[in-house]
Amino acid sequence: MDAAQYEVEGSGALSTPSLLIYTEAIESNITAALGMMNGDAGRWRPHLKTAKLGYTMRRLVARGIKTAKCATTLELVVAIESGMEDVLIAFPLMGPNAERVREIAAAHPERRISTLVESVDQIDEWRGSAVGVFVDLNSGMDRTGMAEERFDEVREFIDRIQKAGLRFCGLHHYDGQIKNADPSAAAMAHEGYSRLVELIAYLKSSGIEVREVITSGTPAMPHALNFAPFSAGEFVHRVSPGLIVYNDRSNLTDWPVYGLLPAVLVLSTVVSRPRANRVTCDAGHKAVSADAGVPTCDVMGWPGLVPLNPSEEHLSIEVRSGETPSRGELLYLLPAHVCPTVNNFDKAVLVRGGKVEEIVPVSARGREVFVT
């Protein structure tokens, strides 16, 4: 990618570290994603944990994407304010968090709000509310969900849901364990999808209609879209990638053929040159997330610079070849994992045509604090 096209005019006047969001790249990525879905915006239920900004959510809505997933009550509020019509809380909320979702749903009867459940002890959390429920299935990631292969248990659980008067919306199968770097990724994904289709047929034979099936974050999405039974089924199938809106180093490495662009960079300043082959900039792990490991980012336009283990505010960078940046030099950093990086910032700088267009809040950053 051409690093020069990401340079921002007048960037020397920006404080650092700053979160730069390139609006034209967002539009291009949405177009690319919709192209993978044959232009069917109804096939996409993006996870908003990546988008975070009301601005980005509104751009999705403007392109016809009006169903979404989220993980927090604040993301739900911002999604509704941004025009999303159907939002799933893809997290097993309980206690006051569940009560807050009930409150939001009651205040917005014109919107379809749903949540995940995996056990009968969660049914009472939602009894008598306007919140619909998806049954969360464990596809093999072993993070949440009930055993997908135990068809009888799934049927009995859905029966309990319906007898409790809850709105059964469908099935949620998140296969986040699928990684595109694995040569067996497509076969692994399709094995899970085949089991899922068998489960749906079994439920139908038991008199239970599955209206919607949600699968696949960003890595597994191509495998789901290529799985023919999902397009031919008697249910709505949606994929739920969120990262694809912004992209990061990891995703661009895994998906080199789809025309995706990095839409988020972190602007940083070189603040020290402690050794001849070492510089330090002001983008530690409180700016660029370190959850994907080291290096936490790539330095755009500087292939000879290799970021080292960050501390909270400092990022040391080894100079392995080429020139050494001067103190005060601005570096444009491409995060290894963009989702938590966006969440590190209160504000984002919108860039269009190489110029600062606006500074906007990262609307869904953090969480609501409330007492129910």
Side-chain angles (χ1 to χ4, degrees):
M1 65 194 73
D2 182 7
Q5 70 184 12
Y6 285 90
E7 293 181 3
V8 178
E9 182 179 322
S11 55
L14 288 172
S15 61
T16 59
S18 282
L19 184 72
L20 306 179
I21 296 189
Y22 296 81
T23 58
E24 292 149 316
I26 289 175
E27 298 297 336
S28 178
N29 291 334
I30 294 173
T31 297
L34 289 174
M36 295 170 70
M37 301 171 204
N38 295 320
D40 184 0
R43 195 85 189 265
W44 193 5
R45 188 184 279 273
H47 201 315
L48 302 177
K49 69 181 179 66
T50 304
K52 283 293 181 184
L53 278 72
Y55 169 86
T56 306
M57 297 182 200
R58 290 191 295 274
R59 292 313 308 152
L60 289 164
V61 170
R63 301 293 297 275
I65 301 128
K66 299 181 181 181
T67 60
K69 281 168 53 171
C70 65
T72 71
T73 60
L74 181 55
E75 289 173 359
L76 174 60
V77 169
V78 176
I80 291 172
E81 291 175 346
S82 301
M84 289 291 178
E85 297 176 357
D86 182 328
V87 187
L88 164 65
I89 310 295
F91 197 87
L93 299 181
M94 302 185 74
N97 293 331
E99 182 60 34
R100 173 63 175 142
V101 173
R102 292 171 63 113
E103 178 183 275
I104 294 168
H108 296 278
E110 77 286 0
R111 308 298 172 91
R112 291 175 62 87
I113 296 172
S114 54
T115 189
L116 297 181
V117 293
E118 63 176 31
S119 175
V120 292
D121 58 5
Q122 294 173 324
I123 289 178
D124 284 344
E125 297 278 358
W126 308 106
R127 194 186 299 269
S129 76
V131 180
V133 297
F134 281 82
V135 171
D136 192 19
L137 301 171
N138 182 358
S139 66
M141 192 177 185
D142 295 334
R143 187 173 69 179
T144 64
M146 65 185 305
E148 187 172 80
E149 67 277 7
R150 297 179 181 173
F151 290 9
D152 287 344
E153 291 183 15
V154 175
R155 177 187 56 77
E156 291 170 6
F157 182 43
I158 295 173
D159 188 55
R160 294 280 292 272
I161 288 170
Q162 293 178 325
K163 286 180 178 177
L166 301 183
R167 175 166 53 91
F168 170 59
C169 300
L171 303 175
H172 180 261
H173 166 110
Y174 179 65
D175 44 352
Q177 75 277 15
I178 304 295
K179 307 297 180 186
N180 279 331
D182 186 339
S184 63
M188 291 172 57
H190 286 182
E191 179 183 356
Y193 302 151
S194 294
R195 182 175 60 245
L196 183 58
V197 169
E198 289 176 10
L199 171 61
I200 294 168
Y202 169 79
L203 293 174
K204 181 179 180 179
S205 70
S206 303
I208 295 174
E209 179 184 0
V210 176
R211 294 183 176 86
E212 181 176 348
V213 175
I214 304 169
T215 70
S216 316
T218 299
M221 180 180 76
H223 311 310
L225 294 176
N226 291 331
F227 186 68
F230 282 160
S231 298
E234 298 178 356
F235 50 84
V236 174
H237 169 253
R238 292 189 170 106
V239 289
S240 54
L243 190 155
I244 195 172
V245 174
Y246 293 150
N247 296 296
D248 54 25
R249 184 191 69 202
S250 304
N251 194 50
L252 293 168
T253 300
D254 287 347
W255 284 19
V257 298
Y258 294 108
L260 300 171
L261 300 173
V264 171
L265 300 178
V266 173
L267 183 68
S268 180
T269 302
V270 174
V271 296
S272 179
R273 293 180 62 173
R275 293 209 312 250
N277 67 336
R278 183 76 58 89
V279 298
T280 301
C281 69
D282 57 354
H285 65 73
K286 287 184 175 178
V288 180
S289 174
D291 75 315
V294 176
T296 60
C297 55
D298 286 347
V299 185
M300 299 280 283
W302 296 79
L305 300 188
V306 179
L308 304 174
N309 192 41
S311 52
E312 292 182 41
E313 304 293 350
H314 303 78
L315 176 62
S316 294
I317 302 174
E318 184 178 356
V319 183
R320 294 190 180 174
S321 64
E323 297 182 11
T324 300
S326 304
R327 294 182 189 86
E329 185 99 39
L330 293 175
L331 302 180
Y332 292 78
L333 308 179
L334 173 64
H337 192 188
V338 71
C339 311
T341 295
V342 172
N343 195 59
N344 280 337
F345 291 85
D346 292 314
K347 303 282 187 179
V349 180
L350 300 185
V351 178
R352 181 180 295 275
K355 298 180 181 179
V356 174
E357 182 176 55
E358 189 178 0
I359 296 176
V360 299
V362 181
S363 320
R365 178 181 190 249
R367 290 172 172 78
E368 290 186 308
V369 178
F370 48 80
V371 177
T372 58

